[in-house]
Amino acid sequence: GVPPGPRAAHVCHRRPPPRSQVLRRLTEDTPDSPPGEATRGAAIVTGVFAVVLAIAMWRHEMWRDALQAWQIARDSGSLGDLLHNVRYEGHPIGWFFVLWLATKVSRAPEMMQLVQWAVAVASVAIIAFRAPFTRVQTALLAGAYFVAFEYGTLARNYSLGVLLVVLTCVLVVAERRRWPLIGLTIALLALTSAFGVILAGALLVGITVDELLRRRAADPARRGPSAMVGAGLAVAAFGVLVSYLSAQPPDDSGAYEEWTNPLAPSALAPGLGGIWRAMMPIPELQREFWNTNIVSARVGVLAVLGTILLVGVTWLFASRAMPTLVWLLGASGTVLFIAARIHYAEANRHLGHVFLAFLAAAWVARDAAVWPGRLGTVPALAWRPALFTRALTVVFAVHAVATVVALGTAL
């Protein structure tokens, strides 16, 4: 036969890349895709999410608590009426104010779903275009359980929290931090819910410590001017104060009497188990799946699993101050608030803020300042980017599976 030419010989000897190389391309810290390809990929992720979410919301019947918020906003003739009507809700004014504005466009409850859809799609668009994650991680995160179902399909105030968390993270990791805007997004985050206050405090402490460490090391990267930092801190503190005042129930409120009770030690174990449920939220494979977890075990077992996750994630971030503080304060603050005020850790909508603390910590981790002194140089606590990336992929993948189960069962 005729021997192959140079081009044919080249084709004949070409071999596919090793499996390890393919996996590395999918999970490496900085995917080697051209900017145009990355933009197209982000647009596809956002578009697919928008379509799937629209179908899910169309199939989902609005629940009583969501409709109550809409009715309060709809029947409030003025902003003063709105402030008066939400006094028994136990939530800050943020979501009600957004719905109140929406009622000026339409009084139909479907308008609330449109607002919810827009907020969720905006959050995923920010994730898809700006998150410092790989393409696979970004796609998995867009389909994560809390992003797509609890805070996506269900119209609740917590969806605003997701949007403001990712907005804050974008501003924090920017080449030059714009502190008044950071303070504003943190203040608005505090106005979304009591759990938003916890996340706002965790972010505020973490970012402030990072600013101080950069000044101590004379590192100008991402450091803001002192006056602007002070202004941002003042705005954030004002937002927390307004949140507290607008959410504080009156003395004659019966629904929130237990919120004045002391910390319930019996609720600590379920709270720690809630960390597992927030990070590994695959529900039971049954029709009534909501607020369940596939690990059907004793409370003590779930508490041990949650403690392992709490310690393990802390170790993952340990060499860097900002993500460590954001994670520890956000996750433990959520658990302690549940134990002190709610006294049961069964509602995924509450536990999801543990996952949001993890997401925020992971977002800011790569460029955060290290701890000063020996703590930042302990070999056992060294930053491990490969392990961090793989752990992130696993968590996001578990969440995506949970979304498939939830939407497949509910719809």
Side-chain angles (χ1 to χ4, degrees):
V2 180
R7 179 177 177 82
H10 176 72
V11 172
C12 290
H13 288 86
R14 180 179 296 170
R15 295 178 179 177
R19 181 178 301 179
S20 60
Q21 183 178 345
V22 174
L23 292 175
R24 186 166 59 251
R25 287 178 180 175
L26 291 175
T27 59
E28 62 186 353
D29 285 346
T30 54
D32 53 353
S33 58
E37 183 179 337
T39 300
R40 287 193 298 272
I44 292 172
V45 168
T46 305
V48 170
F49 177 85
V51 172
V52 172
L53 182 64
I55 296 172
M57 296 183 74
W58 173 62
R59 295 278 297 170
H60 172 71
E61 296 179 355
M62 286 182 278
W63 291 350
R64 178 179 57 189
D65 48 1
L67 287 171
Q68 178 172 322
W70 176 255
Q71 291 171 336
I72 289 174
R74 183 196 62 192
D75 297 338
S76 297
S78 65
L79 185 57
D81 291 340
L82 181 66
L83 289 170
H84 178 76
N85 292 337
V86 301
R87 67 192 186 280
Y88 291 111
E89 292 302 299
H91 286 293
I93 191 66
W95 178 243
F96 299 98
F97 178 71
V98 171
L99 294 183
W100 181 71
L101 293 177
T103 62
K104 307 306 176 184
V105 179
S106 172
R107 294 173 63 84
E110 288 77 15
M111 187 66 192
M112 176 177 61
Q113 287 189 302
L114 180 59
V115 171
Q116 170 69 23
W117 179 86
V119 169
V121 171
S123 300
V124 168
I126 294 171
I127 290 170
F129 284 93
R130 301 297 298 273
F133 307 135
T134 68
R135 287 166 288 172
V136 170
Q137 290 169 347
T138 300
L140 292 173
L141 178 56
Y145 177 77
F146 292 105
V147 175
F149 186 73
E150 288 285 345
Y151 306 151
T153 305
L154 311 184
R156 292 297 300 265
N157 52 329
Y158 306 114
S159 61
L160 282 178
V162 179
L163 177 61
L164 291 163
V165 164
V166 297
L167 270 176
T168 302
C169 290
V170 168
L171 294 172
V172 169
V173 301
E175 186 174 350
R176 178 64 63 179
R177 288 177 180 167
R178 299 181 180 180
W179 253 102
L181 285 179
I182 293 175
L184 178 61
T185 57
I186 290 177
L188 293 175
L189 173 60
L191 289 170
T192 61
S193 68
F195 295 98
V197 174
I198 295 171
L199 292 179
L203 283 165
L204 191 59
V205 171
I207 299 167
T208 302
V209 170
D210 190 75
E211 286 279 345
L212 294 174
L213 291 178
R214 291 183 185 279
R215 278 168 167 72
R216 176 176 177 176
D219 179 10
R222 294 185 173 83
R223 194 177 70 186
S226 298
M228 295 295 98
V229 173
L233 291 174
V235 171
F238 179 74
V240 172
L241 176 62
V242 172
S243 175
Y244 174 79
L245 293 176
S246 65
Q248 188 71 8
D251 294 337
D252 62 346
S253 174
Y256 294 98
E257 286 182 353
E258 68 270 18
W259 282 41
T260 62
N261 294 340
L263 177 70
S266 60
L268 286 176
L272 288 171
I275 295 178
W276 168 269
R277 294 176 57 183
M279 298 294 287
M280 301 290 163
I282 299 178
E284 292 182 2
L285 305 179
Q286 60 185 29
R287 179 64 181 172
E288 300 297 329
F289 71 91
W290 196 50
N291 290 334
T292 67
N293 189 270
I294 198 169
V295 179
S296 299
R298 295 179 181 271
V299 172
V301 175
L302 286 175
V304 170
L305 293 173
T307 302
I308 291 172
L309 278 176
L310 178 65
V311 174
V313 174
T314 303
W315 172 77
L316 201 61
F317 295 135
S319 65
R320 308 193 173 200
M322 181 164 51
T324 304
L325 291 170
V326 169
W327 161 249
L328 274 179
L329 294 177
S332 61
T334 298
V335 169
L336 289 174
F337 181 82
I338 291 173
R341 293 292 181 261
I342 301 177
H343 293 180
Y344 63 90
E346 297 178 358
N348 282 340
R349 63 185 182 276
H350 300 153
L351 298 172
H353 293 82
V354 173
F355 174 74
L356 292 185
F358 173 76
L359 172 60
W363 196 305
V364 303
R366 286 185 172 90
D367 297 318
V370 300
W371 289 103
R374 295 182 178 179
L375 185 58
T377 59
V378 175
L381 303 179
W383 176 248
R384 293 172 171 81
L387 180 60
F388 167 76
T389 302
R390 292 189 180 96
L392 210 60
T393 304
V394 169
V395 172
F396 291 168
V398 169
H399 272 253
V401 171
T403 299
V404 172
V405 174
L407 290 180
T409 304
L411 306 180

